[in-house]
Amino acid sequence: TETEGKKTVHVIAVENSKEALPWLHKNIAKYDLPTRVIEEDVATALDGIKCDIVVANPPYVPTNMDLPAEVKNHEPHEAIFGGQTGLEVPQLFITSAARLLKSNGLFVMEHAEEHGELVREFLENDFNSIELHYDLNKRPRWTSARRN
């Protein structure tokens, strides 16, 4: 929104895992940005709301993948594992982003480095300007797109 020429940002964080909520609050506390936290499934959250930007870091590790103990014993499993192939939960996030975003709204999602092309394919129906981005280690780790 805009008040007296100043733009206001409204940030809403959605989390469906009670176990992950403390981590979300800890991460939010690092920034001086008022953030409303909603505990709900991404598939149903924010019904009737339209957004300019959706940023997602869904769980994307395949369920049967063996992870180091320091990873799997540190974070809630629902925050790590994204389904049998690791893409089932990210697909839900893409569907939700298509529902939530205004036309030309920006969607940004982290994913496994081997999922870049499949994420592109999932986005093609509802998004354009799809772009794969690389992390500091030059691994393809996130994709951005604009809502049709």
Side-chain angles (χ1 to χ4, degrees):
T1 59
E2 200 166 320
T3 308
E4 298 177 24
K6 295 181 181 180
K7 293 187 182 211
T8 304
V9 175
H10 300 279
V11 178
I12 303 170
V14 177
E15 178 58 66
N16 73 337
S17 167
K18 276 197 182 313
E19 293 80 18
L21 277 172
W23 292 101
L24 173 62
H25 286 287
K26 185 177 178 180
N27 287 332
I28 289 170
K30 297 175 187 177
Y31 305 98
D32 184 24
L33 189 61
T35 304
R36 181 176 149 209
V37 175
I38 296 174
E39 183 183 354
E40 191 173 343
D41 191 294
V42 70
T44 57
L46 306 173
D47 188 35
I49 302 292
K50 288 295 183 184
C51 306
D52 295 308
I53 302 171
V54 171
V55 178
N57 183 10
Y60 51 77
V61 174
T63 305
N64 61 354
M65 182 177 273
D66 191 31
L67 296 174
E70 63 269 11
V71 174
K72 67 181 172 185
N73 295 335
H74 183 68
E75 293 185 42
H77 283 198
E78 58 270 6
I80 299 171
F81 296 106
Q84 191 64 35
T85 67
L87 284 165
E88 289 80 0
V89 175
Q91 281 182 283
L92 291 174
F93 276 70
I94 291 168
T95 300
S96 295
R99 172 180 57 85
L100 290 167
L101 283 167
K102 296 175 185 174
S103 178
N104 203 37
L106 177 63
F107 178 53
V108 178
M109 185 176 76
E110 182 177 350
H111 51 73
E113 57 189 280
E114 62 273 8
H115 291 162
E117 189 53 41
L118 290 170
V119 166
R120 169 183 288 286
E121 289 175 21
F122 298 150
L123 289 166
E124 285 177 342
N125 287 335
D126 296 310
F127 294 86
N128 61 71
S129 303
I130 302 166
E131 203 172 326
L132 182 63
H133 303 273
Y134 295 79
D135 66 13
L136 296 175
N137 293 316
K138 297 184 175 41
R139 297 178 303 165
R141 292 300 311 278
W142 57 285
T143 296
S144 64
R146 293 280 178 177
R147 180 70 168 99
N148 290 339

